[in-house]
């Protein structure tokens, strides 16, 4: 099954921001596009707005004047659904309510031919449920574009329970012909991106709720150590706290209140207070005129230790040994079977976050996971009240000697980046095991849909098969609610990896 021929008209119903964006994508690809909106006059207003954006593309040398004029000639505002009768594809982008979408699609089914492909741009509803009222439900597919649709490359092509393979394939190939990067997924709550991205927000909020660190510090660590484009607090302020919480709540409810997707009480209070982020002037941060952006906690300068003793290597943080030597600090290596750590001159230990807490040990400082320890500009440290101040000072001085800013947070098991990445990896393995999508499509979706520096499976391979499972096992001991219990899929992956490597 191939993509729709460019001679086939495409219709978009619903002319809000997303509807206009989808229409522009199809239009620039070369289709005749018909716009319809139930509110009189809206379709013509949307056509004018799209025309203005085409003008800007010409100004930026992304379209020629001739291409713009041809596209404008192909863009038509419809006054009635009956004007969409000859369309080969109709994409609905109306209100995110099941009854509204079902009623619209039933009307469309009485207008278009039986060979017309119908698509829903829903981001949170079940595609299966949306198509459940159709006479021919096999023709309905989810085409989940990301905002802004003309700029974001990703499109999730969602097959409902009744979607025909030919319909899904045609939608996939059409999205690709439009210059997008499609990924195929089953009709599961949140699809790919909104399902697997939940821990990025949830774990940041959990650290904040436990008073482990403030939003500015958590965001800085996610950016400067984890390599994420934005921190969770600033990103949800950009998305809109009401929108982000609504998606989280929808996924949680759709998974029958699975504890792994539990919404944040702190975010609920923020929404209840009307602090929805940038659009309302206040969210986690204050965006009103004259407001100052809070700075992340950064430790004062400390003297570096004269030497460290490396016992058993550092696993995913092994690159640190070369950096420490380059900084002129002596590294004494000892083979040890009981752990991987650095021993400081104080006798205290410096250990990569493993899901345990400092209070469990005599004198331990944990350091967080980094995407790239050489490139990271900030490292978070975690210590309990009982940890020796000298050990904290030596650990701080060590990372400062490597050119890193240091943020000392509370005694948080799994810290910030480590627990976030481990949970993202776990949900990704679970999604594949349950047939939601392939590893390749999940990695593509998370890189392109939410700009993650690595896909979950790329991260999993880099960190080692058992790393995420081990960290989550330890977190589960600290919090036996089930939120951190590794999925069966991750457990099997870790066990199989250990078996291949002969470490089990």
């Amino acid at each position: 099954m191939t993509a729709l021929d460019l001679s086939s008209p495409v219709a978009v119903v619903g002319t809000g921001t997303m509807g206009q964006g989808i229409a522009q994508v199809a239009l620039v690809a070369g289709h005749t596009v018909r716009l319809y909106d139930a509110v009189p006059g809206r379709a013509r207003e949307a056509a004018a707005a799209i025309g203005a954006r085409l003008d800007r593309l010409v100004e930026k040398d992304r379209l020629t004047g001739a291409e713009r004029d041809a596209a404008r000639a192909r863009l038509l505002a419809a006054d009635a659904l009956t004007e969409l009768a000859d369309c080969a594809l109709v994409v609905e982008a109306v209100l995110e309510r099941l009854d509204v979408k079902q009623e619209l699609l039933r009307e469309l089914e009485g207008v278009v031919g039986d060979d017309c492909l119908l698509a829903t741009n829903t981001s949170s509803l079940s595609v299966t449920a949306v198509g459940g009222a159709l006479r021919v439900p096999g023709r309905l597919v989810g085409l989940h574009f990301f905002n802004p649709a003309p700029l974001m490359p990703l499109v999730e092509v969602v097959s409902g329970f009744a979607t025909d393979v030919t319909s899904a394939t045609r939608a996939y190939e059409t999205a690709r012909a439009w210059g997008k990067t499609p990924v195929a997924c089953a009709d599961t709550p949140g699809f790919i991106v909104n399902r697997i991205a939940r821990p990025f927000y949830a774990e940041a909020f959990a650290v904040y709720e436990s008073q482990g660190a403030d939003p500015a510090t958590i965001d800085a660590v996610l950016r400067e150590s984890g390599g994420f484009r934005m921190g969770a607090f600033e990103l949800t302020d950009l998305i809109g706290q009401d929108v982000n919480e609504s998606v989280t709540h929808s996924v949680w409810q759709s998974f029958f209140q699975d504890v792994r997707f539990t919404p944040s009480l702190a975010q609920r209070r923020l929404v209840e207070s009307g602090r929805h982020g940038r659009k309302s002037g206040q969210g986690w941060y204050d965006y009103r005129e004259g407001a100052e952006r809070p700075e992340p906690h950064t430790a004062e300068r400390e003297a570096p230790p004269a030497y460290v003793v490396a016992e058993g290597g550092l696993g995913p943080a092994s690159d640190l040994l070369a950096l420490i030597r380059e900084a002129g600090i002596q590294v004494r290596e000892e083979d040890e079977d009981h752990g991987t750590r650095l021993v400081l001159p104080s006798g205290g230990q410096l250990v990569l976050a493993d899901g345990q807490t400092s209070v469990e040990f005599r004198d331990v400082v944990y350091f967080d996971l980094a995407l790239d320890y050489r490139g990271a500009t900030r490292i978070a440290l975690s210590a309990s009240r009982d940890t020796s101040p000298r050990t904290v000072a030596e650990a701080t001085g060590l990372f400062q000697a490597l050119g890193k800013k240091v943020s000392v947070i509370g005694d948080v098991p799994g810290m910030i980046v480590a627990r976030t990445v481990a949970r993202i990896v776990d949900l990704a393995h679970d999604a594949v095991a349950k047939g939601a999508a392939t590893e390749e499509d999940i990695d593509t979706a998370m890189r392109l849909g939410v700009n993650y520096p690595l896909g979950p499976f790329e991260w999993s391979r880099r960190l080692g098969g058992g790393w995420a499972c081990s960290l989550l096992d330890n977190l589960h001991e600290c919090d036996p609610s089930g939120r951190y219990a590794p999925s069966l899929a991750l457990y099997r992956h870790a066990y199989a990896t250990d078996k291949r490597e002969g470490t089990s």
Side-chain angles (χ1 to χ4, degrees), residues 54-93:
L54 295 178
D55 288 339
R56 288 196 289 275
L57 291 178
V58 172
E59 292 169 4
K60 296 176 181 178
D61 292 327
R62 294 178 185 172
L63 278 182
T64 65
E67 289 170 334
R68 175 201 55 199
D69 294 342
R72 276 182 167 166
R74 295 193 305 271
L75 182 60
L76 307 169
D79 294 319
L81 282 179
T82 52
E83 296 178 42
L84 314 184
D86 64 337
C87 289
L89 167 65
V90 180
V91 183
E92 71 79 12

Side-chain angles (χ1 to χ4, degrees), residues 104-408:
L104 168 65
L105 289 166
R106 277 195 298 265
E107 287 186 60
L108 281 168
E109 202 171 30
V111 171
V112 299
D114 282 355
D115 59 347
C116 176
L117 184 64
L118 299 178
T120 173
N121 184 57
T122 184
S123 61
S124 60
L125 299 175
S126 161
V127 172
T128 302
V130 172
L134 290 178
R135 177 174 50 82
V136 186
R139 67 161 86 187
L140 181 75
V141 64
L143 275 180
H144 181 214
F145 287 77
F146 289 74
N147 193 31
L151 298 179
M152 294 294 283
L154 184 70
V155 177
E156 292 178 322
V157 181
V158 186
S159 293
F161 186 79
T163 302
D164 292 335
V165 172
T166 53
S167 298
T169 303
R170 171 153 282 185
Y172 185 98
E173 293 300 333
T174 297
R176 184 156 63 179
W178 290 357
K180 297 301 180 182
T181 302
V183 293
C185 59
D187 185 21
T188 61
F191 310 141
I192 297 175
V193 172
N194 280 331
R195 173 180 181 166
I196 294 172
R198 293 351 291 163
F200 179 74
Y201 314 111
E203 294 312 307
F205 297 161
V207 172
Y208 168 75
E209 289 174 333
S210 68
Q211 300 187 54
D214 61 278
T217 299
I218 296 169
D219 277 354
V221 172
L222 286 168
R223 288 193 314 269
E224 299 171 38
S225 183
F228 292 96
R229 187 76 59 87
M230 299 178 75
F233 296 90
E234 57 191 344
L235 180 55
T236 52
D237 268 357
L238 179 64
I239 294 168
Q241 297 303 329
D242 52 338
V243 174
N244 182 261
E245 195 221 19
S246 176
V247 173
T248 298
H249 197 272
S250 174
V251 172
W252 174 62
Q253 289 283 20
S254 297
F255 274 113
F256 307 104
Q257 300 186 358
D258 186 329
V259 68
R260 295 176 302 166
F261 300 100
T262 301
S264 160
L265 181 59
Q267 188 180 36
R268 176 91 288 262
R269 294 291 178 258
L270 203 67
V271 172
E272 289 174 339
S273 72
R275 298 186 177 191
H276 294 168
R278 288 180 179 270
K279 63 186 178 183
S280 68
Q282 285 180 288
W284 295 110
Y285 300 107
D286 191 340
Y287 300 94
R288 294 172 298 180
E289 187 176 353
E292 292 187 11
R293 180 69 175 259
E295 293 294 324
H297 168 75
T298 303
E300 296 294 329
R301 196 76 193 174
E302 299 285 356
Y307 68 90
V308 295
V309 179
E311 295 186 348
L314 294 177
S318 59
D319 288 350
L320 280 176
L321 298 179
L323 295 178
I324 293 170
R325 289 190 178 97
E326 289 169 17
I329 299 171
Q330 183 184 5
V331 177
R332 305 172 186 172
E333 294 193 59
E334 296 182 6
D335 291 329
E336 294 287 342
D337 295 330
H338 56 267
T340 58
R341 62 191 182 184
L342 294 175
V343 180
L344 299 164
S346 66
Q349 301 170 32
L350 187 56
V351 181
L352 175 63
D354 60 6
Q356 300 181 91
T357 59
S358 294
V359 76
E360 299 173 56
F361 303 98
R362 183 182 62 82
D363 195 16
V364 166
V365 171
Y366 279 106
F367 66 95
D368 208 350
L369 180 69
L371 172 69
D372 169 18
Y373 282 99
R374 185 174 291 276
T377 57
R378 182 180 299 270
I379 295 292
L381 302 179
S382 172
S384 75
R385 293 179 180 179
D386 297 330
T387 305
S388 160
R390 181 184 170 192
T391 298
V392 176
E394 288 180 344
T396 300
L398 174 65
F399 280 104
Q400 289 172 337
L402 306 185
K404 319 298 182 188
K405 296 177 182 176
V406 174
S407 293
V408 180

